[in-house]
Amino acid sequence: MFLLYSTTGCHLCDEAVALLRVAGLSEFDVVDIVDDECLFAEYGIRIPVLVYLDGKLSGKKELAWPFDLLSASEFIRRCR
């Protein structure tokens, strides 16, 4: 499962959404960090952050901004 930690009005987050679609990631949830104190504390100054949750004990993998098409594509490929 891919998540994009974001918030309303974040122009970098809007850029990240467009870039992820070009990279071929059609299914991901956008999570507004403002709604969660823990997420805001962890990601407040780092958004946008693409997160992959694999549902296993290995936890999560993160790709923090700034990322480009190549790094996003490689991250997506490694996680799938």
Side-chain angles (χ1 to χ4, degrees):
M1 166 189 270
F2 288 96
L3 305 172
L4 181 68
Y5 290 135
S6 176
T7 196
T8 304
C10 171
H11 71 282
L12 296 176
C13 300
D14 295 338
E15 287 182 39
V17 167
L19 189 140
L20 293 174
R21 290 199 172 117
V22 171
L25 188 60
S26 58
E27 294 185 28
F28 59 95
D29 292 325
V30 178
V31 178
D32 192 330
I33 63 167
V34 172
D35 298 331
D36 183 305
E37 289 181 24
C38 293
L39 290 177
F40 187 79
E42 185 171 352
Y43 296 103
I45 60 171
R46 299 190 311 141
I47 58 170
V49 177
L50 181 62
V51 174
Y52 178 73
L53 302 172
D54 66 5
K56 299 177 185 173
L57 294 177
S58 58
K60 66 182 179 182
K61 298 174 186 170
E62 295 183 355
L63 179 65
W65 191 263
F67 51 84
D68 59 12
L69 183 58
L70 179 61
S71 60
S73 297
E74 289 177 0
F75 179 79
I76 294 163
R77 181 186 51 79
R78 283 192 321 264
C79 292
R80 285 189 169 156

